[in-house]
Amino acid sequence: MILTQEKSLPDNFLWGASTSAYQVEGANLTHGKGPSIQDIKKVPEGTSELDVCADFYHHYKEDIALMAEMGFKTFRFSVAWSRILPEGTGDVNPEGIEFYSNVIDECLKYGIEPLVTMFHFDLPAALEKKGGWSRRESVDEFVNFAKIMYENYGDRVKYWLTINEQNMLTLVGEVIGTCNLDGVTNKYKKLYQENHHMLLAQAKAMKLCHEMLPGAKIGPAPNISLVYPASCKPKDVLAAQNFNAIRNWLYLDMAVYGRYNNLVWKFLEEHDAVPEMEKDDMEIMKEGHPDFIGFNYYSTATVEWDDGSGVEGSVDQQNGGSELGVYRSFANPNLLRTEFGWEIDPEGFRATMREMYSRYHLPMIVTENGLGAYDKLTDDGKVHDNYRIEYLRRHIEQIKLAVSEGVEMMGYCPWSAIDLISTHEGMVKRYGFIYVNRDEFDLKDLARYRKDSFYWYKKVIETNGTDLTD
């Protein structure tokens, strides 16, 4: 609807930005950290290894000071499981405990609330060698990791996120370096058994959080993108419902209500992929009770009906490819695209928020949203990223409209606080408000520079989103 009366964002709105450990920290096999699956994977051809990244491990004080200069109310970061538990379980690495304790204290020094993600694509390699999430033991291993974090950081961390983009771990694990399907005869059986264990682990971790930290709040962090039908043909609408269920609602229906989505359950039956369960599993799922929903949004998806006679298409986090007899990805002719081919849909952001709130009625916080681009540092140390400002402005406008329509939004943490290594494209695909002076393979001096978007976002935060002008 066209709104003539708009509401302001809440006074306690959590403005900030996000990073993940394996993409920003560096120091990947030092200071007691064990290897994660990200450290042992083969990186995409032409992209750098993850041993240095933005070297946040050694620059965190400088970086958090810059975030404070922007006015951040929160900073969303992840804890590397193998930095805390090098083998994934067993002995704790005291240097890892100390590092994240220092990061948390540095945030609090500036009045920045830490928003801690427990798991962001970086399962310890030692656990992966044992079978990773395919094993029932992975549930208790994750809960043990969560318990260690609650014990060490729970006195200072109020906001927790469980698993980043669990839906992407299931749908595009090979693309993001978290899954190897070599020799697997039924990929659905493997992936959805792993997914079931992650759902159990999440529910148990949320319950434990409420027991150990009664004042804390915790929620999931999937990548949610509303799916459009390619046309008003009834079968295209059915295809969109199918992909919405598989991509989005499976994960949130389970996190919030503790039940499997019916369309997904049928999909699993059709593919001989119904997960093996123990008798109490569904009761455990119902005990999770998230306090809020964190979600990553970059674009919507569009699909058409697939009659089962085609071929599966290529996929990434935003392109669903196709599933024979279920849906087929369709290029939306009404949307512009980024330099890296992702569709841009601010209005779809609002539509996604509306749909999520109507289904779950929980407060929400945006945990990723941003524009990857080929940023250039000028000779005088400037980065003129007006394209990023425009992208963020249009998405923040939609948050304000959604809030005016009654959607309860807690905060906004775009991707990313500083430049880091992108999952597919390496260092050249930059997202940050802060430019890190390195190339794909030349580390240069790793100096930090404030982009134009840095100053713009500072003004946005100062005015609580009322001033979005350049």
Side-chain angles (χ1 to χ4, degrees):
M1 68 187 77
I2 296 174
L3 305 182
T4 58
Q5 300 178 35
E6 293 188 21
K7 297 178 182 177
S8 300
L9 295 176
D11 291 339
N12 60 350
F13 193 76
L14 293 171
W15 296 98
S18 298
T19 63
S20 82
Y22 85 90
Q23 293 172 276
V24 74
E25 284 180 5
N28 63 339
L29 295 177
T30 64
H31 301 277
K33 179 180 177 294
S36 78
I37 56 174
Q38 297 293 343
D39 299 318
I40 63 173
K41 75 177 184 181
K42 182 180 179 181
V43 300
E45 185 176 354
T47 66
S48 66
E49 299 290 342
L50 301 169
D51 52 340
V52 177
C53 299
D55 200 25
F56 178 78
Y57 192 90
H58 297 105
H59 290 258
Y60 73 90
K61 289 187 177 182
E62 176 186 1
D63 293 335
I64 293 171
L66 286 166
M67 296 176 205
E69 184 181 333
M70 269 189 282
F72 278 23
K73 309 302 181 185
T74 190
F75 170 39
R76 183 223 175 186
F77 62 92
S78 73
V79 172
W81 190 338
S82 63
R83 196 178 292 284
I84 300 296
L85 293 161
E87 298 296 316
T89 187
D91 293 339
V92 174
N93 172 29
E95 287 190 69
I97 294 290
E98 181 182 14
F99 171 68
Y100 293 111
S101 184
N102 290 340
V103 169
I104 290 166
D105 286 345
E106 198 69 17
C107 288
L108 294 175
K109 183 174 82 174
Y110 294 104
I112 298 172
E113 288 283 359
L115 175 58
V116 177
T117 307
M118 298 179 182
F119 177 58
H120 194 127
F121 296 171
D122 54 357
L123 188 73
L127 297 185
E128 179 66 16
K129 290 176 183 176
K130 294 179 182 179
W133 288 105
S134 296
R135 302 151 40 252
R136 179 77 185 197
E137 293 84 354
S138 63
V139 176
D140 289 334
E141 288 162 352
F142 180 79
V143 175
N144 175 61
F145 173 46
K147 182 173 182 287
I148 291 170
M149 286 189 285
Y150 298 156
E151 289 172 338
N152 285 275
Y153 310 131
D155 60 330
R156 290 162 289 161
V157 176
K158 297 178 183 177
Y159 298 100
W160 299 86
L161 296 162
T162 52
I163 298 174
N164 179 76
E165 294 192 353
Q166 184 178 330
N167 50 343
M168 296 301 106
L169 291 166
T170 302
L171 295 170
V172 294
E174 282 192 299
V175 176
I176 59 179
T178 61
C179 177
N180 186 345
L181 295 175
D182 292 346
V184 175
T185 56
N186 184 344
K187 68 176 183 178
Y188 303 101
K189 186 72 173 176
K190 170 183 168 61
L191 291 170
Y192 283 93
Q193 186 66 56
E194 293 178 350
N195 177 67
H196 182 75
H197 290 154
M198 280 187 270
L199 291 170
L200 274 174
Q202 172 173 264
K204 284 192 166 189
M206 290 193 293
K207 181 182 179 183
L208 184 64
C209 179
H210 293 136
E211 291 171 349
M212 293 182 63
L213 310 172
K217 296 184 183 299
I218 188 167
N223 181 317
I224 303 297
S225 298
L226 192 66
V227 181
Y228 302 141
S231 75
C232 57
K233 296 176 183 177
K235 284 190 174 181
D236 286 352
V237 175
L238 291 173
Q241 290 177 333
N242 291 342
F243 193 34
N244 267 310
I246 291 168
R247 191 197 192 286
N248 299 321
W249 311 141
L250 161 61
Y251 304 91
L252 290 176
D253 284 359
M254 188 61 79
V256 178
Y257 300 128
R259 64 182 182 228
Y260 269 97
N261 180 280
N262 61 293
L263 293 178
V264 177
W265 191 258
K266 184 57 181 174
F267 173 79
L268 297 179
E269 289 179 334
E270 290 289 324
H271 289 84
D272 187 25
V274 172
E276 296 178 9
M277 300 186 195
E278 296 185 2
K279 65 177 183 178
D280 295 331
D281 281 5
M282 297 314 297
E283 290 304 312
I284 292 170
M285 298 290 195
K286 289 182 172 66
E287 295 175 345
H289 303 306
D291 301 291
F292 64 91
I293 294 172
F295 73 102
N296 301 348
Y297 174 90
Y298 290 92
S299 183
T300 47
T302 305
V303 297
E304 60 185 348
W305 179 255
D306 186 280
D307 62 8
S309 62
V311 295
E312 294 186 4
S314 60
V315 300
D316 62 21
Q317 288 108 309
Q318 299 312 125
N319 173 18
S322 63
E323 194 66 60
L324 300 184
V326 184
Y327 63 85
R328 184 188 303 126
S329 185
F330 182 88
N332 193 323
N334 303 297
L335 302 177
L336 298 175
R337 292 175 178 266
T338 72
E339 292 178 296
F340 291 88
W342 285 11
E343 293 174 345
I344 300 173
D345 188 3
E347 287 77 14
F349 186 32
R350 178 179 167 196
T352 300
M353 288 182 279
R354 284 169 147 201
E355 185 66 18
M356 289 171 64
Y357 195 69
S358 70
R359 293 179 67 96
Y360 305 110
H361 298 285
L362 284 174
M364 298 185 294
I365 182 168
V366 181
T367 42
E368 289 183 29
N369 170 241
L371 178 71
Y374 294 105
D375 294 345
K376 299 299 180 185
L377 183 68
T378 62
D379 292 340
D380 59 351
K382 308 290 185 183
V383 178
H384 301 302
D385 57 340
N386 59 300
Y387 39 84
R388 179 167 294 110
I389 292 171
E390 179 62 17
Y391 177 98
L392 295 172
R393 173 175 34 237
R394 293 180 63 199
H395 284 78
I396 293 171
E397 286 172 347
Q398 296 301 316
I399 293 177
K400 294 169 65 177
L401 291 171
V403 168
S404 296
E405 293 170 328
V407 175
E408 191 176 355
M409 295 300 298
M410 293 167 50
Y412 180 64
C413 294
W415 189 261
S416 55
I418 68 174
D419 287 344
L420 38 68
I421 301 292
S422 182
T423 305
H424 314 298
E425 291 90 359
M427 196 68 202
V428 297
K429 188 180 185 182
R430 296 177 182 266
Y431 281 91
F433 294 106
I434 301 163
Y435 185 93
V436 178
N437 190 35
R438 60 158 291 182
D439 289 335
E440 201 66 59
F441 301 105
D442 182 358
L443 295 179
K444 298 186 177 180
D445 60 2
L446 294 168
R448 273 55 172 161
Y449 293 89
R450 299 164 182 82
K451 301 181 186 179
D452 286 356
S453 60
F454 177 105
Y455 299 104
W456 175 82
Y457 196 46
K458 178 180 180 180
K459 180 182 62 176
V460 171
I461 296 173
E462 284 175 347
T463 64
N464 199 30
T466 60
D467 187 352
L468 300 178
T469 60
D470 289 352

